[in-house]
Amino acid sequence: MTNFHILTLFPEMVMQGLHTSILGRAVERKYISIEAVNIRDYTLDKHGKVDDYTYGGGAGMLMQAQPVYDAWKAVTDRIAARQAKRFCRVIYMTPQGRTFHQELAQELAQEEDLIFLCGHYEGIDERVLEEIVTDEISIGDYVLTGGELPAMVMIDAIARLVPGVLHNTDSAVTESFYDGLLEYPQYSRPEIWHDRRVPAILLSGDHAKVDAWRMEQSLARTRERRPDLYEAYCKRNGPDSKSMKKLDKKL
Ligand code: ADE
């Protein structure tokens, strides 16, 4: 069970996006919980303001420290009341962070509670980030208008690794990035479509042969499309692993 807490100015955006399809079902069945905390609810400003101009000048507004800190404090106090462990990772979504990847998703899926902090405008006052943030994470080298979509991307990737969320546990294992390889190609009915045939081996009923073919496809694809992942895989598995020797002979 993982509880996701999202500190945001747009709670309806994340709640709508994360309560559909597989994650919606996982919430209903209590494998995960997702709450959005509206940072604006914690501002002490009587007009509900949460942002202000930056010291030193420059374009754009900055989210102020006080409402962000108080929203975080409310969530952590609630977590502490239920959990002996007081520490909870706080992930700030920012293009300045380290890049998100599958291994980090695996690591975070072990946590009982995760807090995501979504910034807007030109960002958040540095002082509150220094006080509460444990991880600064980017989802890629491009700049989005806010941290909500990145938080949703991360939560989707993490939640599907929480036990019970996916029906068929196999699908979390045999897929792109499991063991650092890309997934093999897959086919469904009909056998012939637009004159294209499903590879004969998949219709043979010989499971060992099918598995060997899939492994070979994964290796070949990874080598061609993501040489960086292929090289890392070779290093981990040793250059003389059986499947790679076979592939080398073929190519
Ligand atoms: N906020 C804006 N752009 C982002 C990105 N690429 N990753 C994470 N958070 C962001």
Side-chain angles (χ1 to χ4, degrees), residues 92-96 119 137-147 150-151:
Y92 175 46
M93 306 312 311
T94 167
Q96 299 184 24
I137 298 182
S138 163
I139 59 159
D141 287 341
Y142 39 82
V143 181
L144 301 166
T145 54

Side-chain angles (χ1 to χ4, degrees), residues 49 51-62 64 125:
K49 204 165 70 80
D51 59 327
D52 210 329
Y53 295 101
T54 53
Y55 280 118
M61 305 287 269
L62 204 63
Q64 292 167 286
D125 190 305

Side-chain angles (χ1 to χ4, degrees), residues 57-218:
M61 305 287 269
L62 204 63
M63 281 168 71
Q64 292 167 286
Q66 177 272 316
V68 171
Y69 184 83
D70 288 357
W72 165 80
K73 181 81 170 55
V75 171
T76 5
D77 285 350
R78 260 191 284 121
I79 295 170
R82 148 170 79 62
Q83 214 196 94
K85 197 176 87 176
R86 223 197 129 75
F87 175 80
C88 175
R89 281 170 89 159
V90 178
I91 298 160
Y92 175 46
M93 306 312 311
T94 167
Q96 299 184 24
R98 65 189 162 120
T99 311
F100 186 51
H101 53 75
Q102 190 66 24
E103 249 172 77
L104 184 53
Q106 290 278 6
E107 181 188 317
L108 294 171
Q110 317 300 317
E111 296 285 333
E112 199 172 325
D113 289 274
L114 288 170
I115 300 176
F116 290 83
L117 172 59
C118 306
H120 253 270
Y121 315 116
E122 289 306 301
I124 301 181
D125 190 305
E126 192 69 22
R127 293 167 296 181
V128 69
L129 298 179
E130 285 169 8
E131 277 203 25
I132 69 171
V133 170
T134 60
D135 301 82
E136 295 203 351
I137 298 182
S138 163
I139 59 159
D141 287 341
Y142 39 82
V143 181
L144 301 166
T145 54
E148 283 74 15
L149 286 171
M152 288 161 77
V153 166
M154 278 192 70
I155 291 167
D156 191 286
I158 296 164
R160 61 189 290 290
L161 301 173
V162 172
V165 170
L166 294 186
H167 272 325
N168 177 0
T169 44
D170 278 345
S171 58
V173 175
T174 52
E175 67 184 6
S176 293
F177 293 124
Y178 173 68
D179 208 15
L181 289 178
L182 301 184
E183 199 176 13
Y184 46 80
Q186 303 215 71
Y187 305 86
S188 182
R189 284 200 282 191
E191 253 178 69
I192 305 171
W193 177 83
H194 282 204
D195 284 339
R196 294 161 183 272
R197 272 190 176 281
V198 172
I201 203 157
L202 298 177
L203 311 171
S204 70
D206 185 334
H207 292 301
K209 273 199 179 146
V210 168
D211 285 349
W213 180 85
R214 286 178 165 167
M215 185 62 189
E216 203 178 286
Q217 292 289 318
S218 277

Side-chain angles (χ1 to χ4, degrees), residues 33-45:
S33 81
I34 304 171
E35 70 157 347
V37 175
N38 193 342
I39 295 170
R40 199 177 298 280
D41 289 346
Y42 291 86
T43 180
L44 298 176
D45 180 85

